[in-house]
């Protein structure tokens, strides 16, 4: 069994004259990201390996989340996660080493949402319907994969363990 955790970057800002990869987090995102990090720590969802898109908003999200967590074995910037399709993200997942039992991708939509939809076939109806409705900024999808190695991951075989949004953790955002 392997666990894939998908974290969409927190709410970002759209300043004039700033190219997409350099967009920072908005104040709402700076508030939401630590809440998601605290939830990850409380629920013991800390991954062995974290791959972060190089975009500024994903790096800032990860820094705020990571401040709430114990040290992670491997954290790496992964350019292929930026603006990635589900197919590209699945390739990245399948390339992970055997010693990583849990993997977190910190990235963007629509890629993360599409990847979750591609992989998941079962889970609690409430989580499945929330995720199908919207994968908002700061959302966290925890997906269990019935495989021994990452290279064995195939579409339609995973179970959605949970789907959490910052709004659920605070009543707002």
């Amino acid at each position: 069994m392997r666990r894939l955790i998908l974290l969409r970057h927190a709410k970002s800002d759209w300043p004039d004259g700033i190219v997409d990869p350099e967009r920072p987090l908005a104040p709402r995102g700076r508030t939401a990201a630590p809440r998601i990090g605290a939830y990850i720590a409380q629920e013991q969802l800390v991954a062995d390996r974290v791959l972060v898109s190089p975009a500024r908003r994903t790096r800032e999200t990860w820094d705020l989340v990571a401040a709430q967590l114990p040290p992670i074995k491997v954290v790496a910037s992964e350019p292929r996660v930026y603006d990635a399709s589900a197919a590209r993200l699945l390739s990245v997942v399948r390339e992970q080493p055997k010693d990583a039992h849990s993997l977190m991708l910190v990235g963007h939509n629509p890629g993360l949402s599409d990847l979750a939809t591609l992989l998941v076939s079962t889970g609690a109806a409430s989580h499945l319907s929330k995720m199908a409705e919207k994968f908002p900024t700061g959302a966290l999808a925890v997906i269990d994969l019935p495989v021994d190695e990452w290279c064995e991951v195939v579409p339609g075989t995973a179970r959605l363990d949970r789907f959490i949004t910052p709004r659920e953790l605070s009543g707002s955002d």
Side-chain angles (χ1 to χ4, degrees), residues 115-133:
L115 177 62
T117 301
L118 179 71
L119 293 175
V120 169
S121 63
T122 62
S126 61
H127 292 300
L128 290 167
S129 65
K130 273 193 312 186
M131 188 179 76
E133 181 181 320

Side-chain angles (χ1 to χ4, degrees), residues 15-171:
D16 288 339
I18 300 293
V19 295
D20 185 73
E22 293 305 318
R23 288 178 32 224
L25 288 182
R28 191 171 100 192
R30 293 186 184 289
T31 301
R35 282 199 307 267
I36 288 291
Y39 176 84
I40 291 168
Q42 175 187 334
E43 296 294 313
Q44 299 178 355
L45 298 172
V46 179
D48 298 327
R49 185 176 186 84
V50 179
L51 300 178
V52 182
S53 160
R56 179 176 172 186
R57 60 193 177 275
T58 50
R59 290 180 320 205
E60 289 179 355
T61 297
W62 173 247
D63 289 345
L64 292 167
V65 167
Q68 307 298 314
L69 306 177
I72 308 292
K73 289 181 187 176
V74 176
V75 177
S77 177
E78 176 52 72
R80 294 175 299 165
V81 175
Y82 175 72
D83 198 25
S85 66
R88 185 182 331 161
L89 292 172
L90 181 56
S91 292
V92 170
V93 168
R94 286 179 173 156
E95 294 171 5
Q96 298 312 302
K98 191 173 187 173
D99 65 342
H101 293 280
S102 58
L103 170 68
M104 176 184 281
L105 298 180
V106 184
H108 312 268
N109 255 2
L112 291 181
S113 176
D114 291 347
L115 177 62
T117 301
L118 179 71
L119 293 175
V120 169
S121 63
T122 62
S126 61
H127 292 300
L128 290 167
S129 65
K130 273 193 312 186
M131 188 179 76
E133 181 181 320
K134 186 177 182 186
F135 203 117
T137 52
L140 181 77
V142 180
I143 299 169
D144 291 329
L145 301 154
V147 296
D148 292 325
E149 296 186 39
W150 294 105
C151 62
E152 299 169 346
V153 173
V154 294
T157 60
R159 182 180 70 82
L160 182 63
D161 177 72
R162 67 189 85 187
F163 184 75
I164 303 296
T165 66
R167 181 167 291 188
E168 292 173 88
L169 300 177
S170 70

